[in-house]
Amino acid sequence: MIVDCAIYRHGRRTEDPEDLSDALAEARAEGDAFVWIGLHEPTEKEFDLVTNEFGLHPLAVEDALKAHQRPKLEVYDDSLFIVLKPVFYEPDSDEVSTGEVMVFIGDAFVVTVRHGKSSPLAALRRRLESEPEVLRKGPTTVLYSIADVTVDHYLEVATELGTDLEELEAEVFSPTGGDSRNTASRIYRFKRQILEFRRATVPLAMPLTRLSGGGSYSAGVPFVNETAQPFFRDVNDHLTRVNETVEGLDRLVSDILAAHLAQMGVRQNDDMRKISAWAAMAAVPTLIAGIYGMNFDHMPELHWLLSYPAVILGMVVLEVLLYRTFKRRGWM
C-alpha cells in the first residue's frame, strides 16, 4: 500500500498529489521539485498505477514485488533501481533480522518500496523534511540519505554482535567450559547470524562503488548528481569498515568453534584416561580373586592361616601404588 506521497518544491513539502501523472509533469516543469512516493509491501495491482505513471522497468518492478533480492544497482533507460537490505538487532533474542528497501530514482521522482516490519524510512523522511536546504538537492539526496542511514545502522549492529561474541568467547574459555551441547549450538546460531549479516553488507559494496564513481565507474550513474559522489564515497568507506568488522567476527567465531571442539576432545581424552585408570585398578583385585577362586585342591598358601589377610593386604598395596602412579601422571 502507499504509505506516503508528496511533492517537494525547493526542499519543502507542499501538497499530497491526487493525480500522480499531473504531479510528475508539474515537478518536471518546475525543475526544482520532485515527487516522493513510499510503499510498503505493495500488491501487483497497487503497484500498477505507479509503474504506469513513472514508466518503471518491468524487471525492476518484478524484483520490487517479489522481494528477497540481494543488494544491487540496475540502470534502465528511464530510472535507476537499487536494492538495500537494512539489518536490525533484536536485543531480547540477540538475533539479527533483515528487511528490504527498493529505491527507484528517475527524472523528478523517487519511489521507495519497503518489505519487512522495521524500516528507517519513516524517521528519515521526517528528518529530511526538517532540513529543506538538504532536501532541495532532489532525489539524489533521498538516495544518499537512505544508503547512509542503512550503513550507519550496520555499524551499530556490528558493535552489538561484537559484544555478543565477547560473551560467547568468555563462556567457551571459562574454567568449566559451559555445557558442550548448548555452547556448540550457540556458536552455530551466531555463525548463521554473521552469514545473514554478510548477505546484506558484502553485495552492497559494488553499488556504492558505482555511485561514488570509484574504480572504472568514474563517469557516474544516470539520475544521480555527480556532486554527490564524495558523499557516496564516505558511505562506501563506512561499508568497507563494516565488511572488515564482519569478516573479523566470522573468522573469530570459526576460531572459537575450533577451540571449543578441541576442548571437548581434550575433556573426552581426560575422561577416557580416568576410566582406563579406574578399570586398571579394578582389574588387579579381580585378577587375584579370580586366581584364588579356581576349583583346585592344591594351590600355594590355600590352607595357610594368614593367606586371606595377606591377599587383602596385597590388593590394598597394589591399589595404592596404582592410584599414586595414575595421580602423578594426571590420569586421575
Side-chain angles (χ1 to χ4, degrees), residues 261-323:
L261 294 177
Q263 283 182 330
M264 290 179 61
V266 170
R267 284 198 292 268
Q268 288 176 349
N269 289 336
D270 289 341
D271 293 340
M272 288 303 299
R273 282 203 301 264
K274 291 178 181 179
I275 293 173
S276 300
W278 284 110
M281 292 177 63
V284 172
T286 301
L287 175 64
I288 296 175
I291 292 175
Y292 280 91
M294 293 188 293
N295 296 320
F296 292 101
D297 289 334
H298 303 287
M299 293 185 67
E301 294 85 26
L302 187 62
H303 299 288
W304 185 32
L305 185 62
L306 298 178
S307 60
Y308 178 76
V311 169
I312 296 298
L313 180 62
M315 290 183 182
V316 172
V317 171
L318 289 174
E319 290 295 301
V320 171
L321 290 175
L322 287 174
Y323 179 81

Side-chain angles (χ1 to χ4, degrees), residues 133-188:
E133 290 301 321
V134 176
L135 194 57
R136 71 181 304 171
K137 299 183 185 298
T140 301
T141 298
V142 177
L143 178 58
Y144 159 73
S145 299
I146 294 174
D148 184 53
V149 72
T150 300
V151 173
D152 283 348
H153 204 63
Y154 288 165
L155 292 169
E156 297 175 10
V157 174
T159 301
E160 294 289 348
L161 289 176
T163 301
D164 289 347
L165 186 58
E166 290 176 359
E167 295 175 357
L168 190 59
E169 185 178 19
E171 177 182 339
V172 169
F173 292 102
S174 64
T176 58
D179 181 70
S180 298
R181 285 185 298 178
N182 289 342
T183 302
S185 177
R186 284 190 60 194
I187 295 174
Y188 179 76

Side-chain angles (χ1 to χ4, degrees), residues 205-220:
M206 183 60 71
L208 287 180
T209 299
R210 294 182 65 182
L211 291 170
S212 63
S216 59
Y217 304 104
S218 58

Side-chain angles (χ1 to χ4, degrees), residues 64-326:
L65 289 173
K66 290 185 177 180
H68 303 293
Q69 305 295 317
R70 70 197 302 268
K72 62 180 181 178
L73 174 66
E74 300 286 351
V75 179
Y76 299 104
D77 294 336
D78 299 323
S79 63
L80 179 74
F81 178 64
I82 184 170
V83 179
L84 302 100
K85 294 181 74 70
V87 176
F88 307 97
Y89 179 81
E90 305 291 343
D92 295 334
S93 58
D94 292 338
E95 292 184 357
V96 169
S97 61
T98 59
E100 286 187 59
V101 174
M102 287 85 165
V103 185
F104 294 86
I105 298 290
D107 184 12
F109 73 84
V110 179
V111 177
T112 55
V113 182
R114 174 171 62 89
H115 290 268
K117 296 181 179 180
S118 301
S119 172
L121 293 185
L124 174 63
R125 187 189 283 257
R126 290 193 298 268
R127 179 171 65 81
L128 288 177
E129 289 176 353
S130 67
E131 301 173 351
E133 290 301 321
V134 176
L135 194 57
R136 71 181 304 171
K137 299 183 185 298
T140 301
T141 298
V142 177
L143 178 58
Y144 159 73
S145 299
I146 294 174
D148 184 53
V149 72
T150 300
V151 173
D152 283 348
H153 204 63
Y154 288 165
L155 292 169
E156 297 175 10
V157 174
T159 301
E160 294 289 348
L161 289 176
T163 301
D164 289 347
L165 186 58
E166 290 176 359
E167 295 175 357
L168 190 59
E169 185 178 19
E171 177 182 339
V172 169
F173 292 102
S174 64
T176 58
D179 181 70
S180 298
R181 285 185 298 178
N182 289 342
T183 302
S185 177
R186 284 190 60 194
I187 295 174
Y188 179 76
R189 287 200 304 270
F190 191 88
K191 195 167 182 64
R192 291 286 300 178
Q193 293 182 62
I194 295 296
L195 177 60
E196 186 73 14
F197 198 6
R198 292 185 65 182
R199 285 174 180 167
T201 62
V202 174
L204 187 58
M206 183 60 71
L208 287 180
T209 299
R210 294 182 65 182
L211 291 170
S212 63
S216 59
Y217 304 104
S218 58
V221 178
F223 309 109
V224 175
N225 195 326
E226 291 188 1
T227 59
Q229 287 184 352
F231 297 94
F232 284 109
R233 197 152 45 241
D234 180 67
V235 176
N236 197 21
D237 290 341
H238 291 174
L239 180 66
T240 301
R241 183 172 139 205
V242 170
N243 285 331
E244 291 174 351
T245 302
V246 174
E247 186 69 26
L249 291 174
D250 188 49
R251 288 198 301 267
L252 187 55
V253 75
S254 297
D255 292 343
I256 290 175
L257 179 59
H260 178 64
L261 294 177
Q263 283 182 330
M264 290 179 61
V266 170
R267 284 198 292 268
Q268 288 176 349
N269 289 336
D270 289 341
D271 293 340
M272 288 303 299
R273 282 203 301 264
K274 291 178 181 179
I275 293 173
S276 300
W278 284 110
M281 292 177 63
V284 172
T286 301
L287 175 64
I288 296 175
I291 292 175
Y292 280 91
M294 293 188 293
N295 296 320
F296 292 101
D297 289 334
H298 303 287
M299 293 185 67
E301 294 85 26
L302 187 62
H303 299 288
W304 185 32
L305 185 62
L306 298 178
S307 60
Y308 178 76
V311 169
I312 296 298
L313 180 62
M315 290 183 182
V316 172
V317 171
L318 289 174
E319 290 295 301
V320 171
L321 290 175
L322 287 174
Y323 179 81
R324 293 185 63 181
T325 301
F326 292 146

